[in-house]
Amino acid sequence: MSADSWPRFLTHTGDNSAGNGGKGHFAGSLIHSSYAGFEPLNVAWPGVHAPALANQTNIAYLDQSASQIAGVGGDGGNWNAASGGSVGALGPAGSGVIATGDNSAGNGGDGYFSGAMVHAPVAVYNPINIAVAGAHATADAHQTNNVVFDQSATQIAGVGGHGGNGNTASGGNVSAIGSTGSDALGTGDNNAGNGGDGYAYGGIVHATFAFYYPINIAVAGYNSTANADQTNNVVFDQSAFQMAGVGGDGGNGNHAVGGTADIFSSIFELIGSDVIATGNNNAGNGGNGHFSGSMIDIDVAIYAPINIAVAGYNSTAEAHQSNNVVFDQSVIQIAGIGGDGGHGNAALGGDFAMHLLSDLHLLDHA
């Protein structure tokens, strides 16, 4: 291409993208609030000289778990290439004329989250079993409960996607003959396989409440027997995994290379300031993590089994209770963490060669 003078931004073959993960944006509220109530009642009330038997068996699984994911960037792909086209120029160039860089391939998308993420389940479990016998009678109350409370949560917000592997982003080569102005050539600023940045602003709350109080009662009259047996196998899972504002990991084996610049210019038409830019290339870098707000885990579990046997005169009262209980209120909270860099990546500035010999003979005639 030949011209006496080039206007600004005349030639632009860069800014190409391939295999990049999309950005994730979320602004608002994500709320999971559930209520589960289970209150069975079993009563046996016999007459005089009659047995009273109350048997209750409950198998309950209360699943109030939640998986909340918002504002997460997609992962970058693998083995993609984004390259700016090569440019050959003849003649004086103005400011900011040739741009073949700013290419990207296989980068993870940024994740943006702003708002609130809340998981607040409530579970109430209250089985009641009663046996009452009259005079000279037998009262037996048996209660067996197998209960699982699953109030666990996975909450992920504002997380950048991971960079891909084996991607290449390169600026196009530039060959120019003539003088160049300020910021004339740009073949750098290429990115390949970088992890996306994570931004999270707001609050992440996991607040659970579980109330479990089984009641088993046997009451016998005169000269009778009262037996109250209760067996409870209970699991409270109120664990939480909370992650916000975390940068994605960089990929492996990526290359970001600035294009080569060959300049042929007269010594009396030297290039201007900040003319050649072949650097600022990035490959396999971990994304930045940004978190501002609050991350809260509040778990309440109340377990109060009641087993009562009451016998009258000349009688036997037996109360047996067996409890196997597991409380899991663990939490993992991760916020504002940068991603890990990848392995085997290369970020190189392009080669630059300037030729002045062709016009040195002009000095003999000065």
Side-chain angles (χ1 to χ4, degrees):
M1 179 178 290
S2 176
D4 295 334
S5 178
W6 289 8
R8 294 173 61 86
F9 306 111
L10 181 62
T11 305
H12 188 183
T13 66
D15 197 17
N16 303 295
S17 300
N20 297 310
K23 296 181 179 180
H25 299 266
F26 178 86
S29 299
L30 231 163
I31 300 175
H32 176 241
S33 178
S34 61
Y35 173 82
F38 182 61
E39 302 182 15
L41 176 63
N42 189 39
V43 178
W45 201 302
V48 180
H49 302 294
L53 299 174
N55 297 317
Q56 187 179 95
T57 300
N58 298 304
I59 299 175
Y61 179 68
L62 305 180
D63 185 359
Q64 296 176 313
S65 61
S67 179
Q68 297 172 312
I69 301 174
V72 177
D75 294 335
N78 301 320
W79 310 108
N80 300 285
S83 300
S86 297
V87 175
L90 175 64
S95 176
V97 173
I98 303 175
T100 67
D102 197 21
N103 304 292
S104 58
N107 297 304
D110 296 334
Y112 301 89
F113 175 85
S114 177
M117 184 177 289
V118 180
H119 177 231
V122 176
V124 178
Y125 183 64
N126 179 29
I128 299 176
N129 193 44
I130 299 175
V132 179
H136 307 289
T138 299
D140 290 316
H142 302 281
Q143 187 181 91
T144 301
N145 298 298
N146 296 301
V147 186
V148 175
F149 294 91
D150 186 358
Q151 296 177 319
S152 60
T154 299
Q155 297 170 309
I156 300 174
V159 177
H162 298 308
N165 302 314
N167 298 285
T168 299
S170 59
N173 297 327
V174 176
S175 178
I177 300 176
S179 63
T180 60
S182 177
D183 299 314
L185 303 180
T187 67
D189 199 20
N190 303 291
N191 297 274
N194 297 306
D197 294 335
Y199 302 87
Y201 306 98
I204 296 180
V205 180
H206 177 239
T208 62
F209 179 80
F211 197 8
Y212 177 55
Y213 54 107
I215 299 175
N216 192 46
I217 300 175
V219 179
Y222 295 100
N223 297 318
S224 60
T225 299
N227 293 316
D229 296 316
Q230 187 181 85
T231 301
N232 298 300
N233 297 303
V234 187
V235 176
F236 292 91
D237 184 359
Q238 296 174 316
S239 60
F241 177 81
Q242 297 171 316
M243 182 169 65
V246 177
D249 294 334
N252 301 317
N254 299 285
H255 296 82
V257 182
T260 299
D262 289 323
I263 307 299
F264 297 84
S265 177
S266 168
I267 196 170
F268 298 108
E269 296 177 335
L270 293 177
I271 57 177
S273 62
D274 300 324
V275 175
I276 310 299
T278 65
N280 197 28
N281 304 293
N282 298 278
N285 297 309
N288 297 318
H290 305 269
F291 177 80
S292 177
S294 57
M295 188 174 287
I296 301 173
D297 178 58
I298 300 175
D299 302 310
V300 178
I302 299 176
Y303 179 65
I306 299 174
N307 192 42
I308 300 175
V310 179
Y313 293 102
N314 301 320
S315 60
T316 301
E318 295 182 356
H320 302 282
Q321 188 180 83
S322 176
N323 298 299
N324 296 303
V325 186
V326 176
F327 292 91
D328 184 359
Q329 296 178 321
S330 61
V331 60
I332 297 175
Q333 296 173 315
I334 302 173
I337 304 297
D340 295 329
H343 303 282
N345 300 286
L348 306 173
D351 295 330
F352 168 58
M354 183 174 178
H355 304 272
L356 299 175
L357 296 178
S358 60
D359 288 333
L360 288 178
H361 68 280
L362 296 176
L363 295 175
D364 299 332
H365 304 281

